[in-house]
Amino acid sequence: MARTVIAVVSLLLLSACLAENSVTGRSQFIMIPPSQDAALGLEALNEVKKTAPVVTEGRMAARVQRIGQRIAAISDKPELPWEFIVIDEPVLNAWALPGGKVAIYRKMLDNLDDNQLAAVMGHEVAHAVLRHGAEQMSRAQAQNLAIIGLGVLVSSQTEDQETAQMAVGLGALAAQGFVALPHSRKMELEADHIGTIYMAKAGYDPRHAVSLWQTMSRLKEGGGAQPTFLSTHPSDDKRIGRLEARMDEYLSYYRP
Ligand SMILES: [Zn+2]
């Protein structure tokens, strides 16, 4: 009986949360309504500002804001409350929060020219437009619920409390914030594709999306920890191959 109820509720939840993305046509499972994106993103950004060296004024911030706003303006959601910030840390990383809050780390600014930076920002703007953060969060929450359910099931069927606790602990792990959660491989390739269209439409040469990943590949060889932007699953070669295969399409959007 309980199992039937859970199954029916899950099914209702699932159908209520599946929506076709108007940009990609892909069906996405998202439990967060679009109306909440802006508030969630702002809340998360305020949390970041408490602990990270966020820069919103000066030359570095102005550069990021100039490129970012140009891309946001031609994106599919120019109406989002876009905000572009710099995090003054020597890290090769960038991320986007729901509602269009985008951060670029200083090491990116130090090593990339404006066209390559536009490729990074096109990619991040695409993540925000396509609601990848909300989608990733929804997946983690669904997994969390499933794992807690599994933990309860395990603990009711075995004396092994440790196993049950471990199952619940895994759930807590999945409930990390937007910033720490890596996107799926599919989302990364989607952000590369839509992001390159955006950068081209904003007047940046899309061939620099390829040179970006070549540069990143070179910079990574220095070693060190892999931030979210780099540790995601598609390899640089795969990303470059996909971008080169569709370069004619990207160039057709390019108005220098
Ligand atoms: Zn990404």
Side-chain angles (χ1 to χ4, degrees), residues 123-124 127 183 188:
H123 177 97
E124 296 304 330
H127 274 316
H183 289 120
E188 285 308 319

Short mmCIF file of all heavy atoms in Angstrom, two decimals, residues 123-124 127 183 188, ligand 1:
data_model
loop_
_atom_site.label_atom_id
_atom_site.label_comp_id
_atom_site.label_asym_id
_atom_site.label_seq_id
_atom_site.Cartn_x
_atom_site.Cartn_y
_atom_site.Cartn_z
N HIS A 123 29.26 30.40 -22.52
CA HIS A 123 29.01 29.10 -21.91
C HIS A 123 28.23 29.25 -20.60
O HIS A 123 27.23 28.56 -20.37
CB HIS A 123 30.37 28.42 -21.68
CG HIS A 123 30.31 27.09 -21.00
ND1 HIS A 123 30.34 25.90 -21.69
CD2 HIS A 123 30.23 26.75 -19.69
CE1 HIS A 123 30.29 24.89 -20.82
NE2 HIS A 123 30.22 25.39 -19.61
N GLU A 124 28.66 30.18 -19.74
CA GLU A 124 28.00 30.37 -18.45
C GLU A 124 26.61 30.99 -18.61
O GLU A 124 25.67 30.60 -17.92
CB GLU A 124 28.87 31.23 -17.51
CG GLU A 124 30.21 30.59 -17.14
CD GLU A 124 30.06 29.21 -16.49
OE1 GLU A 124 29.04 28.96 -15.82
OE2 GLU A 124 30.97 28.38 -16.65
N HIS A 127 24.32 28.25 -19.52
CA HIS A 127 23.93 27.45 -18.35
C HIS A 127 22.74 28.11 -17.64
O HIS A 127 21.78 27.44 -17.26
CB HIS A 127 25.08 27.35 -17.34
CG HIS A 127 26.05 26.22 -17.60
ND1 HIS A 127 25.64 24.94 -17.94
CD2 HIS A 127 27.40 26.17 -17.52
CE1 HIS A 127 26.72 24.17 -18.06
NE2 HIS A 127 27.80 24.89 -17.84
N HIS A 183 28.02 19.95 -13.48
CA HIS A 183 26.97 19.69 -14.45
C HIS A 183 27.22 18.34 -15.13
O HIS A 183 28.34 17.84 -15.14
CB HIS A 183 26.94 20.79 -15.51
CG HIS A 183 26.44 22.09 -14.98
ND1 HIS A 183 27.21 23.23 -14.99
CD2 HIS A 183 25.27 22.42 -14.43
CE1 HIS A 183 26.51 24.21 -14.45
NE2 HIS A 183 25.34 23.76 -14.10
N GLU A 188 27.04 20.21 -20.22
CA GLU A 188 28.27 20.91 -20.64
C GLU A 188 28.30 21.10 -22.16
O GLU A 188 28.62 22.18 -22.65
CB GLU A 188 29.51 20.13 -20.18
CG GLU A 188 29.81 20.26 -18.70
CD GLU A 188 29.85 21.71 -18.25
OE1 GLU A 188 30.39 22.55 -18.98
OE2 GLU A 188 29.31 22.00 -17.18
ZN ZN B 1 29.80 24.42 -17.78
#
